[in-house]
Amino acid sequence: MAKQIIDDTVMENIEILAKLALTCEEREKAREKMQEMLDYIDKLNELNTEETEPLAHTFPVENVFREDVVTNGNSRDAMLANAPKSKDGQYQVPKTVQ
C-alpha cells in the first residue's frame, strides 16, 4: 500500500469541513500531526492479524441485571396510608396548572 501524504488540497478540505481558519504555521503543525497519525496507522497495517479474533471488549461482557421479580406485591393501601391526602385509591395533590 502506498504511503498517504497530506497535501495542500487535503488540508484546505479539512479546514473547510472543520470550519477552521489556520495560519500557515498552524496549518503546517496540523499537517505534521495528521501525517504522524497516518504513518502510525500504516505501521499498524503491517501487523499480521490473520489469526487474531476480533473483539469489542477486552473483558467478557455479561448481563449483570437481575430478573424483574415483584417482591412487594400490590400494597396500594399501605402506600396510600403514608399519603397526606388520597382520593379514589390515588394520591391527591394540589392543582398546579391553572
Side-chain angles (χ1 to χ4, degrees):
M1 183 177 210
K3 182 175 177 169
Q4 299 175 359
I5 304 292
I6 298 177
D7 59 9
D8 291 332
T9 307
V10 172
M11 283 306 297
E12 288 173 14
N13 287 335
I14 290 171
E15 286 183 56
I16 291 168
L17 291 172
K19 297 182 179 178
L20 296 173
L22 301 176
T23 64
C24 290
E25 289 177 4
E26 292 170 331
R27 183 179 294 128
E28 191 55 39
K29 189 179 252 185
R31 181 194 325 260
E32 289 172 8
K33 291 292 185 185
M34 286 184 231
Q35 191 64 53
E36 286 177 20
M37 287 186 263
L38 288 177
D39 292 343
Y40 186 70
I41 291 169
D42 286 340
K43 187 172 185 174
L44 289 175
N45 284 334
E46 293 174 7
L47 294 173
N48 181 4
T49 58
E50 292 291 324
E51 310 258 336
T52 306
E53 184 178 329
L55 59 107
H57 300 281
T58 55
F59 300 106
V61 178
E62 297 176 17
N63 186 355
V64 295
F65 299 113
R66 62 172 170 74
E67 291 293 322
D68 287 336
V69 178
V70 177
T71 57
N72 59 355
N74 185 3
S75 59
R76 178 173 41 156
D77 294 333
M79 289 188 283
L80 287 174
N82 293 321
K85 286 186 177 181
S86 65
K87 181 179 178 184
D88 298 328
Q90 299 177 10
Y91 289 102
Q92 185 176 2
V93 296
K95 183 177 178 179
T96 57
V97 180
Q98 295 190 18

